[in-house]
Structure formats: C-alpha cells, structure tokens
Amino acid sequence: MATFAIYIDKSQKRRDGDYPVSIRITQWRKHAYLPTGYYVCSEQMSKDFEL
C-alpha cells in the first residue's frame, strides 16, 4: 500500500525565501516526488519544516 506525505526540500530555497511543496509517495521502500505549484515561506512552517 502506498503512503503519501507533504514534503518540503530544505535545499531548494528560492531567492524570495519560499520553499516548493512536493508530494512524496512511498511504496515498497521506493520514493517518488510529485511537484506541486505551491510554495510556503518560513513563517508558515515549524522549525522541523512541517506545515
């Protein structure tokens, strides 16, 4: 069974300070990332990069 999670990559910070939001799909210990058109800023996240 596949699991889905919201994923924010710390290394892809834009010049304006926003981070792209991706959906992480895991099945059989393999990961795939689906990019979305959404961005979050540091004020919208916790220190652990969680929404």
Side-chain angles (χ1 to χ4, degrees), residues 2-41:
T3 59
F4 301 91
I6 296 173
Y7 179 73
I8 300 168
D9 191 6
K10 301 174 193 176
S11 66
Q12 294 185 1
K13 185 176 181 179
R14 292 175 30 175
R15 289 183 184 173
D16 60 358
D18 292 344
Y19 295 91
V21 177
S22 299
I23 298 173
R24 179 179 170 176
I25 302 171
T26 305
Q27 185 173 12
W28 296 309
R29 296 184 183 178
K30 295 183 181 178
H31 308 292
Y33 298 94
L34 297 175
T36 63
Y38 297 104
Y39 293 90
V40 294
C41 60

